[in-house]
Amino acid sequence: MIMTRNVLWMLLTLISLQACAQGNDKETRVIIHTDMGDITVKLYNDTPMHRDNFIELVEKGWYDGSPFHRVIQNFMIQGGSNANGNPDPGYTIPAEFRPNHIHKKGALSAARKGDQVNPNKESSGSQFYIVQGQVFNDNQINGMSSKTGFHYTEDQRQIYRTIGGTPHLDGGYTVFGEVVDGLDVVDKIAAVETGYRDKPVVEIIMTMEIVK
């Protein structure tokens, strides 16, 4: 049977749409360069507002030359101000809480102002942190779950029992990515000497690029 021109175009269009859909499923990766090594993160597609905002800031060079300004061992490392010291770009992002994304070690999450002035838990436009955390047992996980109302799957519990993280933040801060390479660098940064307000004594400067 000879395929008509209309049917052929319909098939080509369908193939094109499928290819685009598959391409959109690809998770964007970003390399965070520091003097202590590189950290590669992937951005989740099911937190699109945070993903797109982070990509835009990286492309604009917002983070280039900026420091990790708050570091707490066994908790997290935080950055987000630009090189000129601006703490954020002047806007917030609506929360995108997802029960499948927890604050495991290596989680990339958005910082925010406290509940008293931010009852909707909206994220800062640029402030982020990467979780180092620590390991927890079931009793500790249960206690945090009762406080936060976050219910864990067995797989998620196993992550906290073995890899570790910061479960008390689950359901309160948006997790929008995770480290796929460079967890050892996160550990190195988390271990540096800090001073007032947990600021590293020796600045740890970053630059970022999107993996092409």
Side-chain angles (χ1 to χ4, degrees):
M1 179 179 296
I2 299 176
M3 187 176 296
T4 67
R5 185 181 298 272
N6 287 341
V7 173
L8 178 60
W9 277 111
M10 288 176 63
L11 286 174
L12 289 175
T13 300
L14 179 60
I15 292 171
S16 177
L17 289 173
Q18 289 176 334
C20 289
Q22 291 172 354
N24 288 338
D25 287 340
K26 184 177 180 180
E27 292 171 313
T28 300
R29 298 193 176 205
V30 176
I31 302 177
I32 305 172
H33 300 289
T34 78
D35 290 339
M36 303 186 77
D38 291 346
I39 303 168
T40 302
V41 298
K42 69 176 182 180
L43 308 180
Y44 298 144
N45 288 332
D46 58 358
T47 53
M49 290 183 288
H50 286 73
R51 175 201 62 197
D52 293 349
N53 178 71
F54 197 74
I55 290 172
E56 182 178 357
L57 292 177
V58 171
E59 290 179 336
K60 288 181 175 179
W62 173 274
Y63 296 109
D64 292 345
S66 68
F68 281 98
H69 64 269
R70 185 172 179 236
V71 170
I72 304 176
Q73 192 167 23
N74 297 322
F75 184 30
M76 58 88 220
I77 61 176
Q78 181 174 338
S81 303
N82 71 4
N84 295 326
N86 293 330
D88 62 62
Y91 58 82
T92 58
I93 307 169
E96 293 182 290
F97 301 144
R98 303 289 182 261
N100 53 315
H101 299 319
I102 61 173
H103 281 80
K104 64 184 179 181
K105 182 174 183 177
L108 172 66
S109 306
R112 64 175 178 82
K113 293 182 177 180
D115 292 355
Q116 297 85 351
V117 296
N118 182 24
N120 293 326
K121 297 177 171 52
E122 294 184 345
S123 300
S124 161
S126 63
Q127 292 289 321
F128 71 90
Y129 58 93
I130 299 174
V131 173
Q132 186 195 33
Q134 55 187 309
V135 173
F136 293 86
N137 61 40
D138 279 317
N139 287 336
Q140 292 170 317
I141 297 170
N142 290 338
M144 293 182 190
S145 178
S146 65
K147 291 180 181 178
T148 64
F150 194 98
H151 300 290
Y152 296 101
T153 66
E154 179 53 34
D155 287 342
Q156 290 172 333
R157 286 175 172 273
Q158 183 63 8
I159 287 172
Y160 280 137
R161 288 192 293 254
T162 56
I163 299 172
T166 55
H168 64 282
L169 300 180
D170 290 328
Y173 295 77
T174 296
V175 180
F176 64 98
E178 66 179 83
V179 174
V180 294
D181 188 41
L183 278 176
D184 60 321
V185 179
V186 175
D187 289 336
K188 290 177 185 177
I189 295 174
V192 301
E193 182 182 356
T194 57
Y196 181 64
R197 290 189 173 180
D198 305 308
K199 182 178 179 180
V201 173
V202 177
E203 278 197 329
I204 304 165
I205 302 299
M206 73 182 86
T207 60
M208 295 194 194
E209 66 172 315
I210 295 174
V211 178
K212 302 297 185 182

